[in-house]
Amino acid sequence: MNRITQLFNIKYPIIQGGMIWNSGYKLASAVSNAGGLGLIGAGSMYPEVLREHIQKCKKATDKPFGVNIPMLYPNIEEIINIVVEEGVKIVFTSAGNPKTWTAFLKEKGIKVVHVVSSSVFALKAQDAGVDAIVAEGFEAGGHNGRDETTTLTLIPMVKEKIQIPIIAAGGIATGRGMLATMVLGADGVQVGSRFAASVESSSHNNFKEKIVKVKEGDTHLTLKELAPVRLVKNKFYQDIQDLYEKCPSKEDLTTLLGRARAKKGMFEGDLDEGELEIGQIAGIIHEILPAEKIIQEMMSEFEIACKEKTKFEF
Ligand SMILES: Cc1cc2nc3c(=O)[nH]c(=O)nc-3n(C[C@H](O)[C@H](O)[C@H](O)COP(=O)(O)O)c2cc1C
């Protein structure tokens, strides 16, 4: 038991990060049933689709689960209302100001966690009254901070500033990675990329197979002028780099990005023209496994690594 397992009433301090086009109810419920905390990723769902996923998740698990809400979407109010109406007990907010919705959600008895990429924002989230924060290093898949702060440096800096529980994210796919961040001061971990390559992930099989082929150096944090995002270096990524050569305006970049690129890449499986969001740690993801197996592997490696840790002698 620790602060994170107690906060969410779960067995293991492993949270499956909310991921657009990847984390529907199937993945969230599988993770929760395996003893972690599954999150439905609301970012790629129309409000009524989200409602359906929450209802299906409630049927698929009797364990706690939550919803991740990136706050930059226009229909945020509708999304928040659905979460409240459906009795969701845990919300992870990201990409926005934690002050906007935290008090409202907490009044409804919902536990709120906010995702940050710096110690300054961690402090702001704590001041806004969240129950815990996710501190996400720039090696993570998906949208990220501009500052390129790695998980290894972010966790101790955040730890220095705040008192509430810290969930480390970015570059964690194994029990050893989990232990490393917990030694640095994290109370739990949020894992994205590894679950994107799970059997239950709702992404296209082409994308999952691509993840297991990704090697060291195959991803890059780009589009910092819009919303920084870590992408696989595919044809679309190359098109962005070619445009950068011409010193593009923000509008030029927005036009190239167009609409629904992430859906095209991750959900429809277009590996050339789509946006493929994955973290650096994909380089050690070699298999598409069921979520339960991922959690079991992580926890058994974590336990072995905990024992080994005591063996250093100098
Ligand atoms: C495909 C993909 C989509 C993601 N979408 C979201 C999202 O919608 N909201 C969010 O807060 N984080 C999102 N993330 C970040 C994850 O929730 C998680 O914090 C991150 O993946 C952790 O780093 P890792 O990829 O190294 O495990 C996404 C990550 C990936 C890989």
Side-chain angles (χ1 to χ4, degrees), residues 17-20 22 41 43 68 70 94 115 134 136 139-143 169-172 190-194 196 207 266 277-281:
M19 292 179 286
I20 54 164
N22 285 266
N68 165 248
S94 55
V115 183
V134 173
E136 191 185 54
E139 49 278 72
H143 290 277
I172 304 156
Q190 173 164 290
V191 175
S193 296
R194 182 137 195 220
F207 177 55
M266 295 188 283
E277 299 181 10
I278 209 69
Q280 290 184 334
I281 203 68

Side-chain angles (χ1 to χ4, degrees), residues 11-291:
K11 193 164 175 202
Y12 307 123
I14 300 176
I15 289 113
Q16 161 256 305
M19 292 179 286
I20 54 164
W21 303 114
N22 285 266
S23 63
Y25 82 93
K26 282 191 187 153
L27 179 56
S29 60
V31 169
S32 290
N33 282 333
L37 181 71
L39 300 182
I40 296 172
S44 49
M45 296 180 182
Y46 288 117
E48 285 314 311
V49 174
L50 172 64
R51 191 190 293 281
E52 205 184 304
H53 276 262
I54 295 170
Q55 289 174 350
K56 285 185 174 163
C57 203
K58 285 192 268 193
K59 289 203 183 105
T61 184
D62 56 2
K63 303 278 193 310
F65 71 92
V67 174
N68 165 248
I69 308 179
M71 294 192 283
L72 41 76
Y73 293 98
N75 49 15
I76 175 87
E77 210 164 320
E78 210 179 328
I79 297 270
I80 296 270
N81 285 336
I82 287 176
V83 160
V84 172
E85 279 162 27
E86 292 298 328
V88 170
K89 299 278 183 293
I90 302 164
V91 166
F92 279 45
T93 52
S94 55
N97 186 343
K99 274 199 186 132
T100 321
W101 290 104
T102 300
F104 176 83
L105 291 167
K106 294 218 40 128
E107 252 171 50
K108 305 284 175 194
I110 296 173
K111 291 187 175 124
V112 183
V113 179
H114 189 66
V115 183
V116 299
S117 56
S118 73
S119 57
V120 172
F121 285 115
L123 202 53
K124 280 190 182 157
Q126 179 174 269
D127 290 346
V130 302
D131 295 282
I133 59 121
V134 173
E136 191 185 54
F138 108 116
E139 49 278 72
H143 290 277
N144 213 315
R146 282 185 179 76
D147 287 340
E148 309 203 346
T149 308
T150 61
T151 306
L152 193 76
T153 42
L154 182 62
I155 303 305
M157 287 195 278
V158 168
K159 183 78 185 167
E160 224 175 51
K161 291 251 167 59
I162 68 167
Q163 291 76 48
I164 56 174
I166 300 168
I167 299 161
I172 304 156
T174 62
R176 287 177 197 280
M178 181 176 164
L179 177 62
T181 58
M182 291 178 76
V183 169
L184 288 173
D187 300 276
V189 294
Q190 173 164 290
V191 175
S193 296
R194 182 137 195 220
F195 285 117
S198 67
V199 171
E200 293 88 351
S201 165
S202 55
S203 58
H204 196 284
N205 226 39
N206 291 353
F207 177 55
K208 296 186 198 180
E209 279 164 13
K210 180 74 185 172
I211 299 172
V212 296
K213 285 191 199 132
V214 164
K215 294 189 294 294
E216 186 184 336
D218 283 352
T219 71
H220 185 226
L221 187 75
T222 187
L223 290 176
K224 286 189 180 177
E225 298 78 0
L226 306 180
V229 62
R230 179 169 296 283
L231 297 181
V232 174
K233 295 175 180 171
N234 66 347
K235 178 185 174 296
F236 169 58
Y237 166 83
Q238 198 47 55
D239 290 346
I240 300 171
Q241 300 317 299
D242 293 346
L243 186 58
Y244 274 127
E245 301 266 305
K246 298 177 188 148
C247 301
S249 65
K250 239 173 135 174
E251 287 67 37
D252 295 334
L253 288 166
T254 311
T255 308
L256 174 63
L257 180 61
R259 286 180 60 82
R261 281 280 185 179
K263 181 181 187 189
K264 192 185 268 266
M266 295 188 283
F267 197 65
E268 293 167 358
D270 186 336
L271 300 183
D272 292 326
E273 296 300 332
E275 188 180 304
L276 308 177
E277 299 181 10
I278 209 69
Q280 290 184 334
I281 203 68
I284 60 158
I285 300 171
H286 306 304
E287 261 181 304
I288 302 163
L289 293 174

